[in-house]
Coordinates of all heavy atoms in Angstrom, one line a residue:
P253 N 207.8 41.0 -164.5 CA 208.8 39.9 -164.5 C 209.5 39.8 -163.1 O 209.4 40.8 -162.3 CB 209.8 40.4 -165.6 CG 209.5 41.8 -165.8 CD 208.1 42.1 -165.4
D254 N 210.2 38.8 -162.9 CA 210.9 38.5 -161.6 C 212.4 38.8 -161.7 O 213.2 38.1 -161.2 CB 210.6 37.1 -161.2 CG 210.8 36.9 -159.7 OD1 210.8 37.9 -159.0 OD2 211.0 35.7 -159.3
V255 N 212.7 39.9 -162.4 CA 214.1 40.3 -162.6 C 214.6 41.0 -161.4 O 213.9 41.9 -160.8 CB 214.2 41.2 -163.9 CG1 215.6 41.8 -164.0 CG2 213.7 40.5 -165.1
K256 N 215.8 40.7 -160.9 CA 216.5 41.3 -159.8 C 217.0 42.7 -160.3 O 217.6 42.8 -161.3 CB 217.6 40.5 -159.2 CG 217.1 39.1 -158.7 CD 216.2 39.2 -157.6 CE 215.8 37.9 -157.1 NZ 214.6 37.9 -156.3
I257 N 216.9 43.7 -159.4 CA 217.4 45.0 -159.7 C 218.6 45.3 -158.7 O 218.4 45.1 -157.5 CB 216.3 46.0 -159.5 CG1 215.2 45.8 -160.5 CG2 216.9 47.5 -159.7 CD1 213.9 46.5 -160.1
D258 N 219.7 45.6 -159.2 CA 220.9 45.9 -158.3 C 220.7 47.2 -157.5 O 220.8 47.2 -156.3 CB 222.2 45.9 -159.1 CG 222.5 44.6 -159.7 OD1 222.3 43.6 -159.0 OD2 223.1 44.5 -160.8
I259 N 220.5 48.3 -158.2 CA 220.4 49.6 -157.6 C 219.2 50.4 -158.1 O 219.0 50.4 -159.3 CB 221.7 50.4 -157.8 CG1 222.9 49.8 -157.1 CG2 221.5 51.8 -157.2 CD1 224.2 50.4 -157.4
L260 N 218.5 51.0 -157.2 CA 217.4 51.9 -157.6 C 217.5 53.2 -156.9 O 217.7 53.3 -155.7 CB 216.0 51.2 -157.2 CG 214.8 52.0 -157.5 CD1 214.5 52.2 -159.0 CD2 213.6 51.4 -156.8
K261 N 217.5 54.3 -157.7 CA 217.6 55.6 -157.1 C 216.2 56.3 -157.2 O 215.6 56.3 -158.3 CB 218.6 56.5 -157.9 CG 218.7 57.9 -157.4 CD 219.7 58.7 -158.1 CE 219.9 60.1 -157.5 NZ 219.2 61.1 -158.2
I262 N 215.7 56.7 -156.1 CA 214.4 57.3 -156.0 C 214.6 58.7 -155.6 O 215.0 59.0 -154.5 CB 213.5 56.6 -155.0 CG1 213.4 55.1 -155.3 CG2 212.2 57.2 -154.9 CD1 212.7 54.2 -154.3
D263 N 214.3 59.6 -156.5 CA 214.4 61.1 -156.2 C 213.2 61.7 -157.1 O 213.4 62.2 -158.2 CB 215.7 61.6 -156.7 CG 215.9 63.1 -156.4 OD1 214.9 63.7 -155.9 OD2 216.9 63.7 -156.9
I264 N 212.0 61.7 -156.5 CA 210.9 62.1 -157.3 C 210.0 63.2 -156.5 O 208.8 63.1 -156.5 CB 210.0 60.9 -157.7 CG1 209.8 59.9 -156.6 CG2 210.6 60.2 -158.9 CD1 209.0 58.7 -157.0
E265 N 210.8 64.1 -155.9 CA 210.3 65.3 -155.4 C 209.0 65.2 -154.6 O 208.0 65.8 -154.8 CB 210.1 66.3 -156.5 CG 211.3 66.6 -157.3 CD 212.5 67.0 -156.6 OE1 212.4 67.8 -155.7 OE2 213.6 66.5 -156.8
G266 N 209.0 64.3 -153.5 CA 207.8 64.2 -152.6 C 206.9 63.0 -152.9 O 206.0 62.7 -152.1
S267 N 207.1 62.4 -154.1 CA 206.3 61.2 -154.4 C 206.9 59.9 -154.0 O 206.4 58.8 -154.4 CB 206.0 61.2 -155.9 OG 205.2 62.3 -156.3
E268 N 208.0 59.9 -153.2 CA 208.7 58.7 -152.8 C 207.8 57.8 -152.0 O 207.8 56.6 -152.2 CB 209.9 59.1 -151.9 CG 210.9 60.0 -152.4 CD 210.5 61.5 -152.3 OE1 209.6 61.8 -151.5 OE2 211.0 62.3 -153.0
Y269 N 206.9 58.4 -151.1 CA 206.1 57.6 -150.3 C 205.0 56.8 -151.2 O 204.8 55.6 -151.0 CB 205.4 58.5 -149.3 CG 206.4 59.4 -148.6 CD1 206.6 60.7 -149.0 CD2 207.1 58.8 -147.5 CE1 207.6 61.4 -148.3 CE2 208.1 59.6 -146.9 CZ 208.3 60.9 -147.3 OH 209.3 61.7 -146.7
E270 N 204.4 57.5 -152.1 CA 203.5 56.9 -153.0 C 204.1 55.8 -153.9 O 203.6 54.8 -154.1 CB 202.8 58.0 -153.9 CG 201.8 57.4 -154.8 CD 201.2 58.5 -155.7 OE1 201.3 59.7 -155.4 OE2 200.5 58.1 -156.7
F271 N 205.4 56.1 -154.3 CA 206.1 55.1 -155.1 C 206.3 53.8 -154.4 O 206.0 52.7 -154.9 CB 207.4 55.7 -155.6 CG 208.3 54.8 -156.4 CD1 208.1 54.7 -157.8 CD2 209.2 53.9 -155.8 CE1 208.8 53.8 -158.5 CE2 210.0 53.1 -156.6 CZ 209.8 53.0 -157.9
V272 N 206.8 53.9 -153.1 CA 207.0 52.7 -152.3 C 205.7 51.9 -152.1 O 205.7 50.7 -152.1 CB 207.7 53.1 -151.0 CG1 207.8 51.9 -150.0 CG2 209.1 53.6 -151.3
E273 N 204.6 52.6 -151.8 CA 203.4 52.0 -151.6 C 202.8 51.3 -152.9 O 202.2 50.3 -152.8 CB 202.3 52.9 -151.0 CG 202.6 53.3 -149.6 CD 202.5 52.1 -148.7 OE1 201.7 51.2 -148.9 OE2 203.4 52.0 -147.8
T274 N 203.1 52.0 -154.0 CA 202.5 51.5 -155.3 C 203.3 50.3 -155.9 O 202.7 49.5 -156.6 CB 202.5 52.7 -156.3 OG1 201.7 53.7 -155.7 CG2 201.9 52.2 -157.6
Y275 N 204.6 50.3 -155.6 CA 205.5 49.3 -156.2 C 206.2 48.4 -155.2 O 207.5 48.3 -155.3 CB 206.4 49.9 -157.2 CG 205.8 50.7 -158.3 CD1 205.7 52.1 -158.3 CD2 205.2 50.0 -159.4 CE1 205.0 52.8 -159.3 CE2 204.5 50.8 -160.4 CZ 204.4 52.1 -160.3 OH 203.8 52.8 -161.3
P276 N 205.6 47.8 -154.3 CA 206.3 47.0 -153.3 C 207.1 45.8 -153.9 O 208.1 45.5 -153.4 CB 205.2 46.5 -152.3 CG 203.9 46.6 -153.1 CD 204.1 47.7 -154.1
D277 N 206.5 45.2 -154.9 CA 207.2 44.1 -155.6 C 208.5 44.5 -156.2 O 209.5 43.8 -156.1 CB 206.3 43.5 -156.7 CG 205.9 44.4 -157.7 OD1 205.7 45.6 -157.4 OD2 205.8 44.0 -158.9
L278 N 208.6 45.7 -156.7 CA 209.8 46.3 -157.3 C 210.8 46.5 -156.2 O 212.0 46.2 -156.3 CB 209.6 47.6 -158.1 CG 210.7 48.1 -158.8 CD1 210.3 48.4 -160.3 CD2 211.2 49.4 -158.2
I279 N 210.4 47.1 -155.1 CA 211.2 47.4 -153.9 C 211.8 46.1 -153.4 O 213.0 46.0 -153.1 CB 210.4 48.1 -152.8 CG1 209.9 49.4 -153.3 CG2 211.3 48.3 -151.5 CD1 210.9 50.5 -153.7
E280 N 211.0 45.0 -153.3 CA 211.5 43.7 -152.7 C 212.5 43.1 -153.6 O 213.4 42.3 -153.1 CB 210.3 42.8 -152.6 CG 209.4 43.2 -151.4 CD 208.1 42.3 -151.3 OE1 207.6 41.9 -152.4 OE2 207.7 42.1 -150.2
R281 N 212.5 43.4 -154.9 CA 213.5 42.8 -155.9 C 214.7 43.6 -156.0 O 215.6 43.2 -156.7 CB 212.8 42.7 -157.3 CG 211.7 41.7 -157.3 CD 211.2 41.4 -158.7 NE 210.3 42.6 -159.2 CZ 210.6 43.3 -160.3 NH1 211.6 43.0 -161.0 NH2 209.8 44.3 -160.6
T282 N 214.8 44.7 -155.3 CA 216.0 45.6 -155.4 C 217.0 45.4 -154.3 O 216.6 45.3 -153.1 CB 215.5 47.1 -155.4 OG1 214.5 47.3 -156.4 CG2 216.6 48.0 -155.5
G283 N 218.3 45.3 -154.6 CA 219.3 45.1 -153.7 C 219.7 46.3 -152.9 O 219.8 46.3 -151.7
L284 N 219.8 47.5 -153.5 CA 220.2 48.7 -152.9 C 219.3 49.9 -153.4 O 219.2 50.0 -154.6 CB 221.7 49.0 -153.1 CG 222.3 50.2 -152.4 CD1 222.4 49.9 -150.9 CD2 223.7 50.5 -153.0
I285 N 218.8 50.7 -152.4 CA 218.0 51.8 -152.8 C 218.7 53.1 -152.3 O 219.0 53.2 -151.1 CB 216.6 51.7 -152.2 CG1 215.9 50.5 -152.8 CG2 215.8 53.0 -152.5 CD1 214.5 50.2 -152.1
A286 N 218.9 54.0 -153.2 CA 219.3 55.4 -152.8 C 218.1 56.2 -152.9 O 217.5 56.3 -154.0 CB 220.4 55.8 -153.8
I287 N 217.8 56.8 -151.8 CA 216.5 57.6 -151.8 C 216.7 59.0 -151.3 O 217.5 59.2 -150.3 CB 215.4 56.9 -151.0 CG1 214.1 57.5 -151.2 CG2 215.8 56.8 -149.5 CD1 212.9 56.7 -150.7
E288 N 216.1 60.0 -151.9 CA 216.0 61.3 -151.4 C 214.6 61.6 -151.1 O 213.7 61.7 -152.0 CB 216.5 62.3 -152.5 CG 216.5 63.8 -152.0 CD 217.1 64.7 -153.1 OE1 218.2 64.6 -153.5 OE2 216.3 65.6 -153.5
A289 N 214.3 61.7 -149.9 CA 212.9 61.8 -149.4 C 212.6 63.3 -149.0 O 213.5 64.0 -148.5 CB 212.6 60.9 -148.2
H290 N 211.4 63.8 -149.4 CA 211.0 65.1 -149.0 C 209.9 65.0 -148.0 O 209.0 64.2 -148.1 CB 210.5 65.9 -150.3 CG 211.6 66.0 -151.3 ND1 212.3 67.1 -151.5 CD2 212.0 65.0 -152.2 CE1 213.2 66.9 -152.5 NE2 213.0 65.7 -152.9
G291 N 209.9 65.9 -147.0 CA 208.8 65.9 -146.1 C 209.4 66.1 -144.7 O 210.5 66.4 -144.5
N292 N 208.5 65.8 -143.7 CA 208.9 65.9 -142.3 C 209.5 64.6 -141.7 O 209.4 63.6 -142.4 CB 207.8 66.5 -141.5 CG 206.6 65.6 -141.4 OD1 206.7 64.3 -141.4 ND2 205.4 66.1 -141.5
E293 N 209.9 64.7 -140.5 CA 210.6 63.5 -139.8 C 209.6 62.4 -139.7 O 209.9 61.2 -139.9 CB 211.1 64.0 -138.5 CG 211.9 62.9 -137.8 CD 213.3 62.6 -138.4 OE1 213.8 63.5 -139.1 OE2 213.8 61.5 -138.1
E294 N 208.3 62.7 -139.4 CA 207.3 61.6 -139.2 C 207.1 60.9 -140.5 O 207.0 59.6 -140.5 CB 206.0 62.2 -138.7 CG 204.9 61.2 -138.5 CD 203.6 61.7 -138.0 OE1 203.6 62.9 -137.6 OE2 202.6 61.0 -138.0
Q295 N 207.0 61.6 -141.6 CA 206.9 60.9 -142.9 C 208.1 60.0 -143.2 O 207.9 58.9 -143.7 CB 206.7 62.0 -144.0 CG 205.4 62.7 -144.0 CD 205.3 63.9 -145.0 OE1 206.3 64.7 -145.0 NE2 204.3 63.9 -145.7
Y296 N 209.2 60.6 -142.9 CA 210.4 59.8 -143.2 C 210.5 58.5 -142.3 O 210.8 57.4 -142.8 CB 211.7 60.6 -143.0 CG 212.9 59.9 -143.4 CD1 213.2 59.7 -144.7 CD2 213.8 59.4 -142.4 CE1 214.3 59.0 -145.1 CE2 215.0 58.7 -142.8 CZ 215.2 58.5 -144.2 OH 216.3 57.8 -144.6
L297 N 210.1 58.6 -141.1 CA 210.1 57.4 -140.2 C 209.1 56.4 -140.7 O 209.3 55.2 -140.7 CB 209.8 57.8 -138.8 CG 210.9 58.6 -138.1 CD1 210.4 59.1 -136.7 CD2 212.2 57.9 -138.0
N298 N 207.9 56.9 -141.2 CA 207.0 56.0 -141.8 C 207.5 55.3 -143.1 O 207.3 54.1 -143.3 CB 205.7 56.7 -142.1 CG 204.9 57.0 -140.9 OD1 205.0 56.4 -139.9 ND2 204.1 58.1 -141.0
L299 N 208.3 56.0 -143.8 CA 208.9 55.5 -145.0 C 209.9 54.4 -144.6 O 210.0 53.3 -145.3 CB 209.6 56.6 -145.8 CG 210.4 56.2 -147.1 CD1 209.4 55.6 -148.1 CD2 211.1 57.3 -147.7
I300 N 210.7 54.6 -143.6 CA 211.7 53.6 -143.1 C 210.9 52.4 -142.7 O 211.3 51.3 -143.1 CB 212.5 54.2 -142.0 CG1 213.5 55.3 -142.4 CG2 213.3 53.1 -141.3 CD1 214.2 56.0 -141.3
K301 N 209.9 52.5 -141.9 CA 209.1 51.4 -141.5 C 208.6 50.6 -142.7 O 208.6 49.3 -142.7 CB 207.9 51.8 -140.6 CG 208.3 52.3 -139.2 CD 207.1 52.7 -138.5 CE 207.5 53.4 -137.2 NZ 206.4 53.9 -136.4
R302 N 208.1 51.3 -143.7 CA 207.6 50.6 -144.9 C 208.7 49.8 -145.6 O 208.5 48.7 -146.0 CB 206.9 51.5 -145.8 CG 206.3 50.9 -147.0 CD 205.2 49.9 -146.6 NE 204.6 49.3 -147.8 CZ 204.3 48.0 -148.0 NH1 204.5 47.2 -147.0 NH2 203.8 47.6 -149.1
L303 N 209.8 50.5 -145.8 CA 211.0 49.8 -146.5 C 211.5 48.6 -145.6 O 211.8 47.6 -146.2 CB 212.1 50.8 -146.7 CG 211.9 51.9 -147.8 CD1 212.9 53.0 -147.7 CD2 211.8 51.2 -149.1
E304 N 211.5 48.7 -144.3 CA 211.8 47.6 -143.5 C 210.9 46.5 -143.6 O 211.3 45.3 -143.7 CB 211.9 48.1 -142.0 CG 213.2 48.9 -141.7 CD 213.2 49.4 -140.3 OE1 212.2 49.4 -139.6 OE2 214.3 49.9 -139.9
S305 N 209.6 46.8 -143.8 CA 208.6 45.7 -143.9 C 208.8 45.0 -145.3 O 208.3 43.9 -145.5 CB 207.2 46.3 -143.8 OG 206.8 47.0 -145.0
L306 N 209.5 45.7 -146.2 CA 209.7 45.1 -147.5 C 211.2 44.5 -147.6 O 211.6 44.1 -148.7 CB 209.6 46.1 -148.6 CG 208.1 46.7 -148.8 CD1 208.1 47.9 -149.7 CD2 207.2 45.6 -149.3
G307 N 211.8 44.3 -146.4 CA 213.1 43.6 -146.4 C 214.3 44.5 -146.4 O 215.4 44.0 -146.5
H308 N 214.2 45.8 -146.4 CA 215.4 46.7 -146.4 C 215.7 47.3 -145.1 O 214.8 47.4 -144.2 CB 215.1 47.9 -147.4 CG 215.1 47.4 -148.8 ND1 214.1 46.7 -149.4 CD2 216.1 47.6 -149.8 CE1 214.5 46.5 -150.7 NE2 215.6 47.0 -150.9
H309 N 217.0 47.6 -144.9 CA 217.4 48.3 -143.7 C 218.4 49.5 -144.1 O 219.1 49.4 -145.1 CB 218.1 47.4 -142.7 CG 219.2 46.7 -143.2 ND1 219.1 45.5 -144.0 CD2 220.6 46.9 -143.1 CE1 220.4 45.1 -144.3 NE2 221.2 46.0 -143.8
E310 N 218.4 50.5 -143.3 CA 219.2 51.7 -143.6 C 220.6 51.4 -143.4 O 221.0 50.8 -142.3 CB 218.7 52.8 -142.7 CG 219.1 54.2 -143.2 CD 218.4 55.3 -142.5 OE1 217.6 55.0 -141.5 OE2 218.6 56.5 -142.9
V311 N 221.5 51.7 -144.3 CA 222.9 51.3 -144.2 C 223.8 52.5 -144.3 O 225.0 52.4 -144.4 CB 223.3 50.2 -145.3 CG1 222.6 48.9 -145.0 CG2 223.1 50.7 -146.7
S312 N 223.3 53.7 -144.3 CA 224.1 54.9 -144.3 C 223.6 55.9 -143.3 O 222.5 55.8 -142.8 CB 224.0 55.5 -145.7 OG 222.8 56.1 -145.9
Q313 N 224.5 56.8 -143.0 CA 224.1 58.0 -142.1 C 223.2 58.8 -143.0 O 223.4 59.1 -144.2 CB 225.3 58.7 -141.7 CG 224.9 59.9 -140.7 CD 226.2 60.5 -140.2 OE1 227.3 60.1 -140.5 NE2 226.0 61.5 -139.4
R314 N 222.1 59.3 -142.4 CA 221.2 60.2 -143.1 C 221.8 61.5 -143.4 O 222.5 62.1 -142.5 CB 219.9 60.5 -142.3 CG 219.1 59.2 -142.1 CD 217.9 59.5 -141.2 NE 217.5 58.2 -140.7 CZ 216.7 58.1 -139.7 NH1 216.3 59.1 -139.0 NH2 216.4 56.9 -139.3
I315 N 221.6 62.0 -144.6 CA 222.1 63.4 -145.0 C 220.9 64.3 -145.1 O 220.0 64.0 -145.8 CB 222.9 63.3 -146.3 CG1 224.1 62.4 -146.2 CG2 223.3 64.7 -146.7 CD1 224.8 62.1 -147.5
R316 N 220.9 65.4 -144.3 CA 219.8 66.3 -144.4 C 220.2 67.6 -145.1 O 221.3 68.1 -145.0 CB 219.4 66.8 -143.0 CG 218.8 65.7 -142.1 CD 218.4 66.2 -140.8 NE 217.4 65.4 -140.2 CZ 216.1 65.3 -140.4 NH1 215.6 66.1 -141.3 NH2 215.4 64.4 -139.8
R317 N 219.3 68.0 -146.0 CA 219.5 69.3 -146.7 C 218.1 70.0 -146.8 O 217.3 69.6 -147.6 CB 220.1 69.0 -148.1 CG 220.5 70.2 -148.8 CD 221.1 69.9 -150.1 NE 220.2 69.1 -151.0 CZ 220.6 68.4 -152.1 NH1 221.8 68.4 -152.4 NH2 219.7 67.8 -152.8
G318 N 217.9 70.9 -145.9 CA 216.6 71.5 -145.9 C 215.5 70.5 -145.5 O 215.7 69.8 -144.5
S319 N 214.5 70.4 -146.3 CA 213.4 69.4 -146.0 C 213.7 68.1 -146.7 O 212.9 67.2 -146.7 CB 212.1 70.0 -146.5 OG 212.1 70.1 -147.9
E320 N 214.9 67.9 -147.2 CA 215.3 66.6 -147.9 C 216.1 65.8 -147.0 O 216.9 66.3 -146.2 CB 216.1 66.9 -149.2 CG 215.4 67.8 -150.2 CD 216.3 68.2 -151.3 OE1 217.6 68.0 -151.2 OE2 215.8 68.9 -152.2
I321 N 215.9 64.5 -147.0 CA 216.7 63.5 -146.3 C 217.2 62.5 -147.3 O 216.4 61.9 -148.1 CB 215.9 62.8 -145.2 CG1 215.4 63.8 -144.2 CG2 216.7 61.7 -144.5 CD1 214.5 63.3 -143.2
M322 N 218.5 62.2 -147.4 CA 219.0 61.2 -148.3 C 219.6 60.1 -147.5 O 220.3 60.3 -146.5 CB 220.1 61.9 -149.2 CG 219.5 62.9 -150.1 SD 220.7 64.0 -150.9 CE 220.8 65.3 -149.6
A323 N 219.4 58.9 -148.0 CA 220.0 57.7 -147.3 C 220.0 56.5 -148.3 O 219.4 56.5 -149.3 CB 219.1 57.3 -146.1
L324 N 220.7 55.5 -147.8 CA 220.8 54.2 -148.6 C 220.2 53.1 -147.8 O 220.3 53.0 -146.6 CB 222.3 53.8 -148.8 CG 223.1 54.7 -149.8 CD1 224.5 54.2 -149.8 CD2 222.5 54.6 -151.2
F325 N 219.5 52.2 -148.5 CA 218.8 51.1 -147.9 C 219.2 49.8 -148.6 O 219.3 49.8 -149.9 CB 217.3 51.2 -147.9 CG 216.8 52.3 -147.1 CD1 216.8 53.6 -147.5 CD2 216.3 52.0 -145.8 CE1 216.3 54.6 -146.7 CE2 215.8 53.1 -145.0 CZ 215.8 54.4 -145.4
K326 N 219.5 48.8 -147.9 CA 220.0 47.5 -148.5 C 218.9 46.4 -148.2 O 218.4 46.4 -147.1 CB 221.3 47.1 -147.9 CG 221.9 45.9 -148.5 CD 223.3 45.6 -148.0 CE 223.8 44.3 -148.7 NZ 225.1 44.0 -148.2
N327 N 218.7 45.6 -149.1 CA 217.8 44.5 -149.0 C 218.5 43.4 -148.2 O 219.4 42.8 -148.8 CB 217.3 44.0 -150.3 CG 216.2 43.0 -150.2 OD1 216.1 42.3 -149.2 ND2 215.3 42.9 -151.2
G328 N 218.1 43.1 -147.0 CA 218.7 42.0 -146.2 C 218.3 40.7 -146.6 O 219.0 39.7 -146.3
A329 N 217.2 40.5 -147.4 CA 216.7 39.2 -147.8 C 217.4 38.7 -149.1 O 217.4 37.6 -149.4 CB 215.2 39.3 -148.0
R330 N 218.0 39.6 -149.8 CA 218.5 39.3 -151.1 C 220.0 39.2 -151.0 O 220.7 40.1 -150.5 CB 218.2 40.4 -152.1 CG 218.7 40.1 -153.5 CD 218.2 41.1 -154.5 NE 218.9 40.9 -155.7 CZ 219.7 41.7 -156.3 NH1 219.8 42.9 -155.8 NH2 220.3 41.4 -157.4
R331 N 220.6 38.2 -151.6 CA 222.1 38.0 -151.6 C 222.6 38.5 -152.9 O 222.0 38.2 -153.9 CB 222.4 36.5 -151.4 CG 222.0 36.0 -150.0 CD 222.5 34.6 -149.8 NE 223.8 34.6 -149.3 CZ 224.1 34.7 -148.0 NH1 223.1 34.7 -147.1 NH2 225.4 34.6 -147.6
A332 N 223.7 39.2 -152.9 CA 224.3 39.8 -154.1 C 224.9 38.7 -154.9 O 225.3 37.6 -154.5 CB 225.4 40.8 -153.7

């Protein structure tokens, strides 16, 4: 369905990258994404590039905790 999603929280212990690749249509329909990504800096930068290609931009300072990075992304193409 073409239902808009206001907020999506992604915290799936390392499967964030696969989720974003598998469900781009869901990401594009989402206004705000709170994500906790696991992995190294290169993986995180690739995740940011992919989210940007789907219309999102990072709107928070990254929070690091060990190998976890938490941040918020907002869909610039979607109006609230």
Side-chain angles (χ1 to χ4, degrees):
D254 201 19
V255 176
K256 300 294 183 203
I257 300 166
D258 292 325
I259 297 175
L260 177 65
K261 181 178 184 258
I262 303 173
D263 180 6
I264 45 181
E265 306 305 317
S267 296
E268 305 82 18
Y269 310 97
E270 183 179 345
F271 180 86
V272 170
E273 286 301 320
T274 303
Y275 301 103
D277 58 324
L278 187 130
I279 299 296
E280 290 175 324
R281 293 185 285 123
T282 301
L284 186 68
I285 297 173
I287 191 163
E288 180 178 302
H290 300 259
N292 62 40
E293 187 71 20
E294 182 180 348
Q295 289 172 312
Y296 187 70
L297 293 175
N298 287 333
L299 179 65
I300 290 173
K301 287 179 188 175
R302 182 60 176 139
L303 288 169
E304 287 175 346
S305 77
L306 296 170
H308 285 75
H309 59 278
E310 199 167 6
V311 294
S312 70
Q313 183 175 359
R314 295 175 199 162
I315 299 170
R316 293 184 162 279
R317 187 175 61 194
S319 65
E320 301 169 353
I321 300 173
M322 293 166 271
L324 292 174
F325 291 84
K326 184 176 181 183
N327 189 333
R330 181 172 172 244
R331 299 186 85 87

